[in-house]
Amino acid sequence: MARRPILLLVLMPLLALAVAPGEPVAQEPRQIRVEVRFQQTSQRGREAGVATERRVQRSSGLFTIVQDGGESLLTVATQVPVQQLTFYRDHATGAGHVAGGVTFRDVGTTLRVQAAILPGDRIRVRVTPRISYLAAEGTGAVEFTEAAADLVVPNGRPVVLGGGTTETHSVLRQILGLGIGTREVTGTTVLVIASVR
């Protein structure tokens, strides 16, 4: 009987090491949803005469799921058909055969997204643009590391990454028949929204 209490005393510290009170249990890495949203506002009105105004807002976006500390790619691409010729040679007979076919290559724009969770309910997001191309020698990609954006964003709140405004020139308005007194301004804003899932 004296041996059983000793055995229990040895097992109790081992159980305490496995799950100690107040310490978190090992968790899987957390995931971050990163969305890049494009908002466009177009406003048309008259500068003189009757004051009419028309405002149109459009919004579109792409999102990806990134593991904490990892990276993902957001790709907007077109599949381009490429003619492919292959030559097969039978070494035993010396005869050859040419086979033709079509393959498809992705050509477009990619955003490399890296994300990491920071203390204080914030997320570090790095966005790097990349463009893929198709040439006679094959396909390739150019990554614009100089144009990368490194942001610290609040969890779930949108942050403006960039944007621009355009206005139709008065000469072009006359050519298009929009009139001299008509004015059209279009603004585009790029937003980044990151949220922990």
Side-chain angles (χ1 to χ4, degrees):
M1 286 282 188
R3 291 186 187 181
R4 279 193 175 163
I6 295 171
L7 183 60
L8 288 175
L9 291 175
V10 171
L11 288 177
M12 292 298 279
L14 291 176
L15 291 174
L17 287 176
V19 180
E23 288 193 24
V25 179
Q27 297 178 2
E28 291 185 20
R30 297 171 71 184
Q31 294 181 340
I32 304 165
R33 181 183 192 268
V34 179
E35 179 182 1
V36 178
R37 188 180 299 165
F38 305 92
Q39 293 182 335
Q40 187 176 46
T41 304
S42 180
Q43 185 174 350
R44 179 186 282 183
R46 288 202 168 267
E47 296 172 351
V50 180
T52 60
E53 187 173 304
R54 186 181 94 182
R55 177 176 262 187
V56 177
Q57 291 185 334
R58 288 181 222 145
S59 180
S60 63
L62 300 167
F63 76 90
T64 186
I65 305 295
V66 183
Q67 186 173 327
D68 183 19
E71 70 177 39
S72 182
L73 298 175
L74 280 171
T75 303
V76 177
T78 301
Q79 289 194 327
V80 178
V82 177
Q83 182 70 32
Q84 184 175 7
L85 295 175
T86 307
F87 179 73
Y88 297 100
R89 183 175 185 102
D90 184 355
H91 292 287
T93 63
H97 172 69
V98 175
V102 175
T103 60
F104 290 89
R105 306 282 183 187
D106 287 338
V107 177
T109 303
T110 301
L111 290 176
R112 179 182 304 275
V113 178
Q114 298 168 311
I117 300 171
L118 299 175
D121 206 29
R122 298 174 307 148
I123 302 167
R124 176 180 298 281
V125 178
R126 182 173 177 84
V127 180
T128 308
R130 187 173 132 184
I131 296 176
S132 59
Y133 62 89
L134 179 64
E137 301 83 34
T139 60
V142 178
E143 192 163 295
F144 296 97
T145 54
E146 296 84 17
D150 202 358
L151 306 167
V152 175
V153 300
N155 186 12
R157 294 194 16 221
V159 173
V160 176
L161 180 62
T165 305
T166 60
E167 183 174 352
T168 309
H169 193 272
S170 61
V171 174
L172 182 59
R173 289 195 309 258
Q174 288 178 350
I175 292 171
L176 295 174
L178 298 174
I180 298 172
T182 305
R183 182 172 183 231
E184 184 171 348
V185 178
T186 303
T188 304
T189 306
V190 180
L191 302 169
V192 173
I193 305 164
S195 54
V196 177
R197 305 193 93 209

